[in-house]
Amino acid sequence: MSFLLPKLTSKKEVDQAIQSTAEKVLVLRFGRDEDPVCLQLDDILSKTSSDLSKMAAIYLVDVDQTPVYTHYFDISYIPSTVFFFNGQHMKVDYGHQGPGMMRSHCAWNTRIASCHQFSENCVTDRQIPSTD
């Protein structure tokens, strides 16, 4: 189902999507078109994209074509999903509570559906890499 969703194939295109998507959640799925787990997620995203079109923009990003963002968001699991709103990376809390509350790391691991400990190096503490 990867062919049903728009793809961003360069750092410049990812930068432009982040900067130009206003008043909607920007969903970036980092992965590979041929990966079976990515294809499953792409199928879900494509089925929901029309229902969410007024509130979210969904794009596919190939990790091999955008290594600067793959490194920047510390994407180590494929697929990973990163969210933005009005150009700002969104921290997502998946419901953990209490004093040891966990927050998502920069990328959500959809393969094992778990959160990573929030890191001081998260994108929310730094600027997005500048456009070349």
Side-chain angles (χ1 to χ4, degrees):
M1 291 298 164
S2 296
F3 61 89
L4 296 176
L5 293 168
K7 297 178 186 176
L8 303 175
T9 59
S10 68
K11 179 186 179 302
K12 186 175 182 176
E13 288 180 1
V14 174
D15 290 341
Q16 185 176 9
I18 292 170
Q19 295 168 0
S20 65
T21 304
E23 301 305 318
K24 286 185 178 184
V25 173
L26 174 64
V27 180
L28 300 178
R29 188 280 283 150
F30 286 86
R32 294 184 180 93
D33 290 345
E34 66 277 359
D35 184 90
V37 180
C38 290
L39 291 172
Q40 289 176 340
L41 178 58
D42 294 352
D43 183 46
I44 294 167
L45 291 172
S46 68
K47 287 177 181 176
T48 59
S49 65
S50 63
D51 293 334
L52 298 176
S53 64
K54 292 184 179 180
M55 63 184 95
I58 303 169
Y59 293 96
L60 308 180
V61 183
D62 189 300
V63 293
D64 298 321
Q65 294 177 341
T66 57
V68 66
Y69 276 115
T70 303
H71 177 72
Y72 190 76
F73 290 121
D74 193 25
I75 294 172
S76 54
Y77 297 102
I78 303 299
S80 290
T81 310
V82 179
F83 303 90
F84 290 86
F85 186 73
N86 289 337
Q88 298 295 314
H89 178 258
M90 292 174 55
K91 292 187 279 184
V92 181
D93 183 348
Y94 293 99
H96 299 292
Q97 298 179 13
M101 184 173 154
M102 301 280 284
R103 293 185 185 246
S104 71
H105 196 286
C106 295
W108 179 50
N109 171 6
T110 55
R111 178 165 283 170
I112 61 173
S114 66
C115 297
H116 298 278
Q117 182 70 35
F118 183 74
S119 153
E120 291 297 322
N121 297 326
C122 190
V123 68
T124 56
D125 298 329
R126 302 182 309 194
Q127 295 296 320
I128 299 298
S130 62
T131 304
D132 294 331

